[in-house]
Amino acid sequence: MLKTLLKKQMMEIFRGYFYNSRKNEARSKSSTVVYFVIFACVIIGAVGGIFTILSFVLCTDMAKAGMSWLYFAIMGMIAIIMGTFGSVFNTFSTLYLAKDNDLLLSMPIPVSKIMITRLLSVYIMSFIYSGMVIIPAVLVYLLTVSLSINALIGCVLLVLLISVFVLTLSCALGWVVAKISLKLKNKSFITMVVSLLFFGLYYFGFYKSQELIDALLANLVSYGTAIKGNAYPVYVFGSVGTGDVLSMLIVTAVVAGIFALMWWLMSRSFIKITTSQTSGAKKKYKRTFIKQKSIDKALFAREVKRFTSSPNYMLNCGFGMIMLPLFAVFMLIKGGDTVKMLSENAGDNNGFVVIILCVAVCAMASMIDISAPSVSLEGKSIWISQSLPVTAWQVLRVKLLLHFVLSIVPTLICQIVLVFVYPFSTFEAILFFIIPILIIFLSAQFGLFLGIKMVNLNWVSEITPIKQSSSVLITLFGGIGYSVMFLWGYSIVTFLLNLSISIIAYMIGFAVVTFVLNVLLYMWLKKKGTAIFATL
């Protein structure tokens, strides 16, 4: 039974890799392999590569100074932060909000086995996110410093202990959120605010990382002595990776004890939370009048409610809405210095600065991918949209409209600020406004196109179409990549080919290409897209 439940849980996590829900058939083995190769390239190649470079920067100097324990302490704490950051948003919905909880609890299945399978799915995500940091760290240490038996055992044990601790921490935070959410009315916005604070702290640390690394390497001995004297548990934690036997025993016992406590708390509250109804304060009946709306307004209000009711949807698909105003504030404060630096690097080619600023706005606007999961989020209730006295095009059109409206406002704010910061010419300013708007509409249509072609209506947790969907991944990186192509194209033309082309002509050409792509996608969505949506 446990094997069957675990297989079911794994199929839910990687469902899109094995199953084509639109065609209602399993994917071919070659397609599945391609999906997993892409996933591995992103995890191992992109993210793992960054932390491999960081490990090489820290490992050699710290090992020479006899501070290998500090190296493992630093990389281990980064792994814990990354693991918790990556999996905590999945934990609540995976453990407590899965849509098949009632079904599983009604079957003759022990609650402990349901909990184990849920925890294993959370553990896999925790291991992936924390492993992106700690696995490159231990490999670099073993290959460059020591490959002794003690070091090998310590490194393997450290990877396992960190993954279990991240699992425990994620479950504890998910348990707290679950308990609190049952008492809250507007928990989606509260969850979003708390998550944004976490994002802010994370990116602030990332921004200061180089400064912190330089200071650390310059004062290794003093910092190491201070940590060892005032934060001895950190020293013991880091010593696990070096193969210290006593440290391995202590940390293993502590992690095992914390995990046992978490299991005890979960086993006492799992059924109560999963079977509770989110209520909040009791509502009193109040007589009101509902104003009649047009079809488009009613459908648009439905899409807005769907977006604002899900913190996962808002955070993962609307992150660019936060980045654009933040970038505008940054440019108001540091815009003069930034523009000066860009102008110095560009030399006589002032158009290069215009392109960079435009690409920055386009890339951040491309981080908004609201339309990509919108069709899949209809789930098994898609029949409601199909049975209403509206056309399929009206349903799809409001999905595009929501993406465009929520993207255009922060984008315009950012553009207006940049126009005051940098001295654009009249035509440059006009094109600077037009191109991001065209790319926003292209991103909205491309996301909806992929959302229809790669639809997944049979999900259990909404995190699947939002965060584990190929359409979302391709839309996000495709939009950023298309924006970067704008810069690469100009660089190739001016620097490599050494051709003389005015910035106005180049921007007009790129705008025309983007406009044509928009027209083609619009025609496909209005004809073939609506036909496919009607038959889902």
Side-chain angles (χ1 to χ4, degrees):
M1 183 181 294
L2 184 61
K3 182 180 178 181
T4 303
L5 289 173
L6 182 58
K7 181 180 179 181
K8 164 194 163 296
Q9 204 70 22
M10 294 302 97
M11 288 296 293
E12 288 177 6
I13 294 176
F14 299 104
R15 179 182 179 84
Y17 295 16
F18 293 100
Y19 181 73
N20 187 332
S21 58
R22 188 176 68 84
K23 296 182 179 180
N24 195 28
E25 61 182 20
R27 296 188 187 278
S28 63
K29 291 184 178 180
S30 58
S31 299
T32 301
V33 170
V34 169
Y35 275 104
F36 275 105
V37 168
I38 294 173
F39 178 77
C41 289
V42 173
I43 297 296
I44 299 174
V47 183
I50 294 173
F51 289 105
T52 301
I53 295 172
L54 177 61
S55 299
F56 274 111
V57 171
L58 296 178
C59 186
T60 305
D61 292 337
M62 289 187 172
K64 289 179 179 179
M67 294 287 175
S68 295
W69 65 268
L70 183 59
Y71 164 73
F72 282 115
I74 292 172
M75 298 305 295
M77 286 187 286
I78 295 175
I80 290 172
I81 293 172
M82 283 290 295
T84 306
F85 171 75
S87 60
V88 71
F89 297 113
N90 301 329
T91 304
F92 179 39
S93 57
T94 301
L95 286 174
Y96 297 110
L97 289 185
K99 290 192 172 183
D100 60 348
N101 276 334
D102 291 339
L103 176 62
L104 292 179
L105 290 173
S106 67
M107 299 175 70
I109 302 174
V111 177
S112 60
K113 291 190 177 181
I114 298 175
M115 288 177 56
I116 289 172
T117 55
R118 297 278 193 245
L119 286 174
L120 284 174
S121 65
V122 176
Y123 176 76
I124 289 173
M125 299 307 298
S126 302
F127 184 83
I128 290 174
Y129 284 110
S130 62
M132 292 188 300
V133 181
I134 195 60
I135 291 178
V138 300
L139 289 177
V140 169
Y141 179 81
L142 293 173
L143 293 175
T144 60
V145 178
S146 174
L147 195 55
S148 64
I149 297 298
N150 278 5
L152 181 61
I153 295 173
C155 287
V156 173
L157 183 61
L158 184 64
V159 173
L160 296 176
L161 289 175
I162 286 175
S163 61
V164 174
F165 183 74
V166 169
L167 166 66
T168 306
L169 189 58
S170 298
C171 290
L173 293 174
W175 179 80
V176 172
V177 172
K179 296 290 287 185
I180 294 175
S181 67
L182 294 176
K183 308 296 181 182
L184 296 176
K185 293 177 65 177
N186 298 318
K187 62 177 182 294
S188 59
F189 284 100
I190 294 173
T191 303
M192 186 183 69
V193 170
V194 173
S195 302
L196 289 178
L197 291 175
F198 191 89
F199 274 119
L201 293 173
Y202 172 78
Y203 281 103
F204 177 77
F206 181 81
Y207 177 73
K208 290 287 186 179
S209 59
Q210 187 60 51
E211 182 181 335
L212 293 173
I213 290 172
D214 292 340
L216 178 64
L217 294 178
N219 303 278
L220 270 177
V221 177
S222 59
Y223 283 169
T225 304
I227 293 173
K228 189 174 180 180
N230 301 321
Y232 190 74
V234 176
Y235 167 74
V236 175
F237 170 68
S239 297
V240 173
T242 63
D244 183 74
V245 177
L246 181 60
S247 297
M248 288 191 288
L249 293 175
I250 293 173
V251 176
T252 301
V254 171
V255 172
I258 295 174
F259 179 80
L261 177 62
M262 181 274 298
W263 174 267
W264 180 76
L265 289 172
M266 276 191 58
S267 62
R268 289 173 58 88
S269 60
F270 183 77
I271 294 180
K272 182 179 179 181
I273 294 178
T274 53
T275 57
S276 296
Q277 297 293 326
T278 305
S279 55
K282 292 184 178 180
K283 295 182 179 180
K284 294 182 179 180
Y285 174 75
K286 185 178 180 181
R287 185 179 181 182
T288 58
F289 294 93
I290 300 176
K291 186 178 180 181
Q292 186 178 9
K293 298 179 181 178
S294 64
I295 292 176
D296 288 337
K297 287 183 178 179
L299 291 173
F300 183 75
R302 173 177 173 269
E303 292 296 325
V304 171
K305 187 176 180 180
R306 181 70 186 85
F307 180 73
T308 56
S309 64
S310 172
N312 288 317
Y313 197 6
M314 288 187 286
L315 283 169
N316 289 283
C317 299
F319 194 63
M321 296 165 57
I322 303 163
M323 295 298 295
L324 285 163
L326 289 178
F327 182 66
V329 173
F330 172 79
M331 291 302 291
L332 279 175
I333 300 172
K334 296 287 187 178
D337 296 335
T338 304
V339 169
K340 182 179 179 181
M341 178 191 69
L342 292 175
S343 299
E344 290 175 354
N345 292 329
D348 297 331
N349 192 348
N350 292 328
F352 195 66
V353 180
V354 177
I355 296 292
I356 290 178
L357 293 178
C358 190
V359 168
V361 175
C362 293
M364 285 182 284
S366 298
M367 295 172 69
I368 305 172
D369 50 359
I370 297 170
S371 64
S374 60
V375 176
S376 294
L377 284 172
E378 297 280 349
K380 295 181 180 179
S381 301
I382 194 170
W383 64 271
I384 298 176
S385 299
Q386 295 170 336
S387 62
L388 290 173
V390 296
T391 63
W393 174 237
Q394 287 178 302
V395 177
L396 295 180
R397 189 172 60 194
V398 295
K399 295 182 184 296
L400 290 176
L401 183 62
L402 177 68
H403 184 121
F404 186 78
V405 169
L406 294 183
S407 302
I408 196 65
V409 174
T411 302
L412 287 174
I413 292 173
C414 190
Q415 288 174 314
I416 291 170
V417 170
L418 290 176
V419 166
F420 282 100
V421 170
Y422 183 78
F424 291 91
S425 69
T426 303
F427 287 110
E428 288 174 350
I430 293 172
L431 291 168
F432 178 69
F433 276 92
I434 290 175
I435 289 176
I437 292 173
L438 288 173
I439 287 184
I440 287 173
F441 195 58
L442 180 66
S443 178
Q445 293 195 106
F446 184 61
L448 191 60
F449 164 77
L450 291 177
I452 294 172
K453 296 289 288 184
M454 309 173 75
V455 64
N456 176 14
L457 301 175
N458 298 315
W459 45 268
V460 175
S461 172
E462 69 172 11
I463 202 68
T464 302
I466 291 173
K467 211 172 181 183
Q468 300 170 4
S469 167
S470 300
S471 61
V472 172
L473 183 68
I474 296 172
T475 301
L476 177 62
F477 288 102
I480 296 174
Y482 186 76
S483 302
V484 174
M485 282 176 57
F486 184 28
L487 175 62
W488 284 349
Y490 188 72
S491 301
I492 291 171
V493 170
T494 55
F495 294 107
L496 294 182
L497 301 180
N498 199 24
L499 298 177
S500 178
I501 181 173
S502 69
I503 183 63
I504 301 297
Y506 178 77
M507 293 179 76
I508 290 175
F510 189 81
V512 170
V513 172
T514 308
F515 178 79
V516 171
L517 292 175
N518 271 307
V519 172
L520 293 175
L521 276 174
Y522 186 86
M523 292 171 62
W524 187 93
L525 288 171
K526 194 169 183 179
K527 293 181 180 179
K528 292 187 178 180
T530 54
I532 295 173
F533 181 82
T535 59
L536 292 176

